[in-house]
Amino acid sequence: MTKNSFEIVGFDLDGTLVDSSGDLTAAVNDTLAFAGRPLLSVEQVKTMVGGGAKHMLAQGLEATGGCTPEEFRPLYKRMLAYYGAHLSVHTRPFPGVIAALDQLDARGIKSAVVTNKFESLARSLLADLGLTERFACIIGGDTMGPGLSKPNRAPIDEMIRRCGGEVGTTRTAFVGDSIYDIMAAKNAEIPGIAVSFGFLLEPVEDIGADAVIDSFAELLPTLERISA
């Protein structure tokens, strides 16, 4: 990478760094089964991921008959407990993730995670996968406080600060799979790169990313191109 290239690259977690669709679907379906609802497919649940666990379950319940606020609270608590105990049964990094992180490390570029998953769950999952030490910081959907998760710029700005950078000055890019990720990057005024293999609700071309990659093998060349 050139001297004008990026110093920090942030990543979303679910649907970007890791394929967690199997474990997220299992958590939703455990709750739906408990509530006497029909179960959902992995492909259905994938479209519900991105806005955090509460949003995911709310969409799952809406798709199977709706839910009152009073009914929702105990079901949400149940889902979090189940998911917390089954974080990494099926979840694995997407192909090429480790090699891409190695390439960034070799170039002195810091990697970080900004997810809308609770920080405690994100840290537990990354620890299970042996990836915690690969990231300069890990920021969750609850880290910055209520209302300050993606697409808000606050967690992106905090990522830059925790990586030793300066907001508005340190060259930073963000990689994600959802409109939440790309909007957060835009709000933070940094380039957003979308992965085409994530948990997409709409065509990847429609979420306004500065670039799209079809595999992590394309990440370094894409960073080079958009940093020029």
Side-chain angles (χ1 to χ4, degrees):
M1 306 288 278
T2 69
K3 65 179 180 180
N4 295 319
S5 189
F6 296 103
E7 299 170 64
I8 302 168
V9 177
F11 296 90
D12 173 52
L13 185 55
D14 299 279
T16 301
L17 287 173
V18 302
D19 183 354
S20 52
S21 57
D23 291 323
L24 291 172
T25 300
V28 171
N29 280 339
D30 173 79
T31 305
L32 293 177
F34 177 78
R37 305 292 185 90
L39 305 185
L40 299 175
S41 68
V42 170
E43 293 307 312
Q44 286 174 300
V45 173
K46 278 184 179 181
T47 67
M48 302 171 182
V49 181
K54 184 174 290 187
H55 177 75
M56 179 178 68
L57 179 60
Q59 287 194 302
L61 289 166
E62 183 63 29
T64 57
C67 183
T68 68
E70 292 74 24
E71 293 171 322
F72 182 82
R73 282 189 285 271
L75 294 176
Y76 178 52
K77 185 176 180 180
R78 177 188 177 89
M79 190 194 73
L80 288 179
Y82 180 94
Y83 183 59
H86 302 84
L87 280 170
S88 56
V89 177
H90 305 291
T91 299
R92 298 293 181 270
F94 279 109
V97 164
I98 305 303
L101 294 174
D102 287 344
Q103 291 173 330
L104 293 175
D105 285 347
R107 289 160 175 78
I109 302 169
K110 293 182 179 179
S111 300
V113 169
V114 178
T115 174
N116 279 349
K117 185 193 291 293
F118 286 138
E119 181 179 334
S120 61
L121 293 176
R123 288 185 177 279
S124 293
L125 175 56
L126 289 168
D128 284 354
L129 299 177
L131 294 175
T132 304
E133 301 305 317
R134 303 306 305 264
F135 302 104
C137 71
I138 299 165
I139 296 174
D142 57 333
T143 303
M144 304 303 295
L148 295 177
S149 58
K150 297 175 298 183
N152 196 290
R153 70 177 290 163
I156 302 291
D157 290 347
E158 182 66 9
M159 172 192 77
I160 294 171
R161 287 189 288 264
R162 292 191 186 188
C163 287
E166 182 178 341
V167 175
T169 300
T170 303
R171 298 208 65 191
T172 304
F174 193 74
V175 184
D177 69 311
S178 76
I179 189 69
Y180 300 98
D181 301 316
I182 301 307
M183 285 179 64
K186 287 186 178 300
N187 288 336
E189 301 177 83
I190 64 171
I193 299 172
V195 300
S196 65
F197 47 81
F199 304 160
L200 297 166
L201 178 60
E202 58 274 290
V204 70
E205 296 81 8
D206 294 347
I207 63 176
D210 294 283
V212 176
I213 59 173
D214 297 321
S215 75
F216 273 98
E218 298 176 16
L219 179 59
L220 264 292
T222 300
L223 290 169
E224 288 272 22
R225 176 170 57 81
I226 67 175
S227 71

